[in-house]
Every structure is written in C-alpha cells, then in structure tokens.
Amino acid sequence: MQYPENQTTTSHERSVLRKTKLKTRMILTLGLLGALQTMLIGGFAGYYLSDSLYDEIGQRALMVAKTVAATPAVIDGVRARDVEGLNRLATRLTDTNEALFIVIGDHKAVRLAHPDPTRLGHSMGDDDGDFGRKALVEGNAYVALARGSLGESMRGKAPITVLETGEIVGIVSVGYSLEQVETTIQRYNFVLYGVVGLMLLVTILSAIVIAGRFKQAIFGLEPEEIARLFQEREATLQSVREGIIAVNRDGIITTANRAAYETLDLPTNNPLAGRPILEVLPESSLMSVLESGHPDFDREIWLRGRQMVVNRLPVRQGDEIIGVVASFRLRNELDQVSRQLTRIQQYADTLRSQTHEYSNKLHTIAGLIQIGATDEALNLIGSEVSDHQALIHLLLEAVPDPVIAGCLLGKYNRAREMGLRLDIDPDSQMADLPAALPRDQLVSVLGNLIDNALDATRLEAGASGRVQLSMTDLGQELIFEVQDQGPGIPESERQRIFEKGVSSKEGEARGYGLHLVQQFLVYWGGSVTVDNIPEGGSRFTLYLPKKPERRFEH
C-alpha cells in the first residue's frame, strides 16, 4: 500500500509551506497567477492577431483581384489574347500592389500572364490543382490558400467579366506570400511579447508591494500566528467574567462573550454577532461613544433592569474610529465584597465607639461610687439604659425592617462617638416598605445622607451639634427627611452636588455618595429636594414612590 508514503509526502509539503513566509507565498502566488493570466492573454492576442492578419491579407488579395479583373485594359487584353500587353500590365500592377504575383488566364484557365514566362500557355490548375471553376463557371470571387511554383501564398481569385454582355472571358489570381505575413506577424509579436513581459514585470512588482502592504497591515504576523492569536483571543474572551460586547462603525455587534449573555440574561441560542446593538439593547449608549470618540470608564447604568458598571472604549485605526468595545459587570457583584467589608468596618467602628463610650462611663460610675455619690451613679446608669431602650423600642415599633433598623442604630452610635446627637422623630413610621425596593441600596442612600449631615454638623456646630431624621410611609410615597446644622448649601450648588466627583470636602475619592443617591433615584423614579433652614443648616428630603415606574439611563 502507498498510503503512508503519500501521507508522508503531503505532510512534508505542508511543513515546507508553513516554513515559507507569507510575503514569499503571496509573491509566488500572485506572480504565478499574473504570469498565467499574462501568458493566456498574450497567447490569445497572438492567435487573434495572426488569424486577423491572414484574413486581412486574403481580403486584400481578393480586393486587388476584383479590381484587376474589372480593369478595361485587362478585359480587352484577354479578349484579344494580348499576352505581351497583359504581362506588362500584370508586372506593373504587381509592383504597385506589393503582391507576390498577378496571374491572368482565359476562360479555360490557361495562363496569359505570369511572372515565369515558361508557365505561359499552361493551365492554372497545374500549379495548385485549382482550375478556377468557382470563378469561371459560378462567377464568384473567392480566397484560397495554396502552395505553388512561387511558394505558399494567400490568393484572391476573381472572374473577368464583360460588362456589356456579362460574359466571363477569363480569371485573375492575385497572391501574397505567406512569408510576408509571417514577417509582419513576427514584428507584431515582438511588440506584443514586449508588452506581455512588461505586464508580467508590473504584476510581479505589484505582488511584492501588495504582499508588503498586507504583511504590514497584519503587523508582520504569519497566518499560523494569526490563527493562534485568534484562538487565544477566544479563550481569553470566554474566560473573562465580565461581559464584553464589541460593535463596528455601523453599530453591528461583532463580538460577544459567554459572560455577556449571562449578565444580560439573553438566550444563548440566539447569537448576538451580526445584529444591531440597538435592536438587542435599545438603551445602550455605545453609538454615542462611537460618534464622540471619548472613552467612558466605570459608568453606573441600568441595562435590562439591572444596575451595572460599564467601561466603553472606542477602537481606532489611525485617526478613524472603527468600533467600540464595552465591558460590563453587575453592580451587585462588585458591591457584594464592598458591602461585606463596609459592614465589617461599621460593625468594628460601632464596637469600638461603644467600647470607648462605655469604658468612659464605667470609669465615671466607678468614680461616683468611690466618692459615695451613689444617687448620681444610679441616675447615670438609668439615663444610659433609658436612652438605648427608647431608641430600640422606637426602631422596633416604627421600622420593623431589620436592615434599615440596624443601619439607623449604627449611625446613632457613630453620632455619639463623634460627640453629636442623631435624633429620630418619635412620630416616624417606616413599616410599609415595598418588597421590590432593594434594601441594600436604600441603606446606602440613607447612610450617605446621614453621614454627610453628621460631617457638616461637626464642622459647623462642634460637639453640641444635632442631626434630625424623620420618616413617614403615609400615602403613596416613602419620605425621608435629614436635617443638619451645617453651613448650608448655596442655591447655585444644589444641583452640582449630585454630580460624580463634586464635593465640598477635601481629599481624594470624594463626591461619590450623593452621586449614588442620584443614580438610585433615577432608577427607582424618586426625587430629592435640598433646602436651607432659617436656624442654620440644610435639609435633604427624599421621596420614593411605593409603586415606581422604572427609568433606565441610556
């Protein structure tokens, strides 16, 4: 069996082909293709030129033959059998028309004029076997290719006809040497092959330039390297936990990894590639990035009812934007670790503040007992117990949700650690919370407002400052009101404070709290108002509908 040998040969050829550089392969392929095309075109042109020349010579011989046959001197000479006159006339016409010969015969095809005097009086048929029957009997002029005593020639034959009677009295044969035709063809072929050679050279040079440009366009990589990079790219895209979608300049999706389907909750049996991005995600703003060319990092938006953190980066080719790549991840995934760390930190801060606070008060109580002031010690203990008991009782009655109650208790302890008071309106009520309202985000919003109020109060009022909180769930809205004793907020700044990165506090990583509040309100359909109070300070009032119409940020 020959299969192993054939397989070995094929493998060897493939190995050699892989070792050949792409540029070399392209030059050879384009060069051979150009050479084949040029040779085919040149061969066809040469064949067509040769055939055209033969046809042209035949038509020329036929035309001269007809002209000579219609000459009155020739007609009269044939009728008078003026051999000498006909030969002089034939010689002159031969030179004039640059023909090989002009032979004139009578009505029986017997030569009356011929370049070789020894052929006179003999039949024209002994030269090429053609007795001129078609011209003498049928009266038709025609072209024939024959080899005679003067060599191979293209001949045109025409009958000599008396115009008055229509009688055929003879025949004229005009011949052109094929050597003349071959010489002309060679001259034309020389020019043709020169043009073909020049075309082949241009083709090879073009192949070199195209191969160089192509190699430059693919960054000098070989096809095998491109295939390997493509496989690595696919593996990388599918291994990334963030969703990734890429679109071209027309807004058509070109790439989407598995995480994109999972994050956006899209069916995997309906491929995204080839579909318009606005058809899949009408709320997407990738097209705006495509138009502006400005990247967008860590933007928090809502897509398909989910809060996400998105990065959008335009893809450029030179100065031209050819597409946009977006990576996104659910906000709650990013927030999960952050919330856990924040809760641990808040828990630690609460424990620390309580430890300091109770340690100081225990020392105070111990001192009062040592000096015999037992009544004052009992009053202090009762005061502490009654304050915490009153707060806990209020929270249990007014805020049955443990997440929100825990947040408020933590902020109460933080205020005491800062030397401030957080007063919760005893008439507050927050029991009718909709089940769909995300508790973690509500806690984040409420906590940001209280923290900002505590910081502003401490800076302006010092240790005696107070922050007031009131809550109500009456009607169709949840209303939270946070009032501080800070410096107040100028009217010109009341809208800017909700922009990302805008803050009156010094230091880095500021200006995100109120921005998160605004993001949540946009999603839930709520609103917030900011007022300055006459006594000094500001009041933030948060309105959240119990049955919201969700608004998605585009």
Side-chain angles (χ1 to χ4, degrees):
M1 294 179 67
Q2 300 298 321
Y3 295 111
E5 181 179 351
N6 292 342
Q7 290 176 355
T8 302
T9 302
T10 302
S11 300
H12 176 69
E13 291 174 351
R14 290 177 180 173
S15 177
V16 172
L17 185 61
R18 281 196 297 267
K19 291 180 180 178
T20 306
K21 297 295 185 182
L22 175 63
K23 186 175 181 178
T24 304
R25 275 184 268 176
M26 289 188 65
I27 292 174
L28 291 175
T29 302
L30 293 176
L32 291 175
L33 181 61
L36 179 61
Q37 291 178 338
T38 304
M39 290 173 62
L40 289 174
I41 293 173
F44 174 77
Y47 172 79
Y48 181 77
L49 175 64
S50 175
D51 187 65
S52 299
L53 283 174
Y54 277 115
D55 184 65
E56 181 183 348
I57 293 298
Q59 293 301 318
R60 182 178 179 183
L62 184 61
M63 183 182 65
V64 173
K66 290 180 178 180
T67 302
V68 173
T71 303
V74 173
I75 297 173
D76 293 341
V78 171
R79 295 177 68 182
R81 302 187 70 82
D82 183 5
V83 174
E84 184 178 353
L86 288 174
N87 276 278
R88 286 197 305 270
L89 181 59
T91 301
R92 187 170 68 253
L93 292 174
T94 299
D95 294 338
T96 302
N97 292 280
E98 298 181 349
L100 177 64
F101 62 82
I102 293 179
V103 177
I104 302 174
D106 61 10
H107 67 284
K108 294 183 178 180
V110 175
R111 297 186 185 93
L112 300 177
H114 193 278
D116 184 359
T118 61
R119 296 277 180 168
L120 297 174
H122 297 284
S123 173
M124 296 173 66
D126 63 9
D127 189 38
D128 56 7
D130 182 7
F131 293 94
R133 179 179 177 81
K134 191 174 182 179
L136 294 173
V137 177
E138 300 176 7
N140 296 324
Y142 62 96
V143 178
L145 177 64
R147 178 178 292 277
S149 60
L150 297 178
E152 192 173 16
S153 60
M154 185 70 72
R155 305 178 179 187
K157 296 186 179 184
I160 301 172
T161 305
V162 179
L163 296 178
E164 292 81 0
T165 63
E167 178 187 2
I168 298 175
V169 297
I171 184 173
V172 174
S173 177
V174 178
Y176 282 88
S177 174
L178 292 185
E179 293 182 0
Q180 294 175 291
V181 178
E182 294 296 336
T183 301
T184 304
I185 291 175
Q186 289 177 3
R187 185 171 68 252
Y188 286 163
N189 282 343
F190 178 78
V191 177
L192 177 63
Y193 293 147
V195 173
V196 168
L198 181 61
M199 290 175 60
L200 181 59
L201 178 61
V202 171
T203 300
I204 294 175
L205 293 177
S206 300
I208 294 174
V209 173
I210 292 173
R213 294 281 182 87
F214 184 79
K215 196 67 182 292
Q216 184 180 5
I218 60 176
F219 304 102
L221 298 174
E222 296 297 318
E224 295 78 11
E225 294 174 326
I226 295 175
R228 185 168 60 252
L229 288 174
F230 178 78
Q231 293 173 344
E232 293 175 358
R233 165 188 171 273
E234 284 299 309
T236 302
L237 280 176
Q238 300 305 329
S239 64
V240 172
R241 294 187 60 186
E242 287 193 350
I244 296 177
I245 290 181
V247 300
N248 61 17
R249 71 186 71 191
D250 299 320
I252 304 300
I253 298 175
T254 57
T255 301
N257 66 349
R258 184 168 48 250
Y261 290 87
E262 297 172 355
T263 305
L264 296 173
D265 193 24
L266 295 171
T268 56
N269 59 354
N270 190 6
L272 296 179
R275 298 172 60 188
I277 183 65
L278 295 180
E279 174 188 314
V280 178
L281 299 171
E283 65 269 27
S284 173
S285 58
L286 282 181
M287 297 305 294
S288 62
V289 177
L290 189 64
E291 294 173 1
S292 66
H294 298 302
D296 197 2
F297 297 107
D298 298 328
R299 185 175 180 83
E300 298 175 11
I301 66 171
W302 292 88
L303 284 174
R304 294 179 63 85
R306 300 181 174 190
Q307 190 177 18
M308 301 184 187
V309 178
V310 180
N311 294 293
R312 306 183 187 95
L313 188 66
V315 180
R316 299 179 182 273
Q317 187 175 28
D319 296 331
E320 184 181 4
I321 299 175
I322 61 173
V324 179
V325 176
S327 63
F328 47 90
R329 193 166 186 175
L330 291 174
R331 170 67 187 276
N332 55 10
E333 291 182 9
L334 297 175
D335 287 346
Q336 185 175 3
V337 175
S338 177
R339 286 197 301 270
Q340 290 175 350
L341 293 175
T342 301
R343 289 172 183 172
I344 292 173
Q345 183 179 0
Q346 289 177 347
Y347 182 66
D349 291 342
T350 301
L351 290 178
R352 184 176 65 252
S353 63
Q354 289 179 346
T355 299
H356 285 290
E357 183 180 358
Y358 285 111
S359 177
N360 292 331
K361 291 181 178 179
L362 285 175
H363 290 155
T364 302
I365 293 172
L368 291 172
I369 293 174
Q370 288 177 0
I371 63 176
T374 55
D375 293 337
E376 288 79 359
L378 291 174
N379 291 334
L380 180 58
I381 294 172
S383 174
E384 289 297 317
V385 172
S386 62
D387 286 347
H388 275 82
Q389 288 297 325
L391 176 62
I392 293 173
H393 179 75
L394 173 61
L395 293 177
L396 289 175
E397 290 290 333
V399 189
D401 189 280
V403 176
I404 299 177
C407 171
L408 296 179
L409 183 59
K411 297 304 177 183
Y412 176 83
N413 291 325
R414 181 172 184 269
R416 296 192 64 172
E417 182 186 6
M418 297 171 64
L420 304 174
R421 287 184 58 86
L422 174 60
D423 293 336
I424 301 177
D425 188 346
D427 295 327
S428 293
Q429 184 68 29
M430 191 55 61
D432 190 17
L433 290 172
L437 182 64
R439 301 300 193 268
D440 57 341
Q441 296 184 32
L442 178 59
V443 165
S444 176
V445 169
L446 192 57
N448 279 318
L449 292 178
I450 295 175
D451 286 341
N452 287 345
L454 292 174
D455 292 338
T457 300
R458 183 176 60 176
L459 290 175
E460 186 72 15
S464 61
R466 299 174 60 185
V467 172
Q468 296 178 349
L469 170 66
S470 65
M471 303 173 288
T472 180
D473 58 4
L474 299 178
Q476 300 301 316
E477 290 182 316
L478 306 176
I479 302 175
F480 299 85
E481 189 176 280
V482 180
Q483 182 174 309
D484 61 49
Q485 293 179 338
I489 300 174
E491 188 172 354
S492 60
E493 296 293 323
R494 292 178 188 175
Q495 292 300 323
R496 288 192 68 246
I497 58 175
F498 293 99
E499 296 178 7
K500 188 175 182 179
V502 176
S503 175
S504 60
K505 304 174 187 177
E506 297 181 355
E508 299 180 355
R510 298 290 187 178
Y512 291 92
L514 292 180
H515 176 68
L516 293 177
V517 172
Q518 181 67 24
Q519 289 287 316
F520 174 72
L521 293 177
V522 169
Y523 164 66
W524 193 255
S527 61
V528 61
T529 61
V530 183
D531 301 302
N532 289 337
I533 56 180
E535 298 82 4
S538 57
R539 178 171 48 234
F540 284 74
T541 306
L542 190 69
Y543 300 91
L544 296 176
K546 294 180 180 180
K547 294 181 180 180
E549 295 181 2
R550 298 193 178 188
R551 307 172 185 173
F552 297 96
E553 181 183 346
H554 291 192

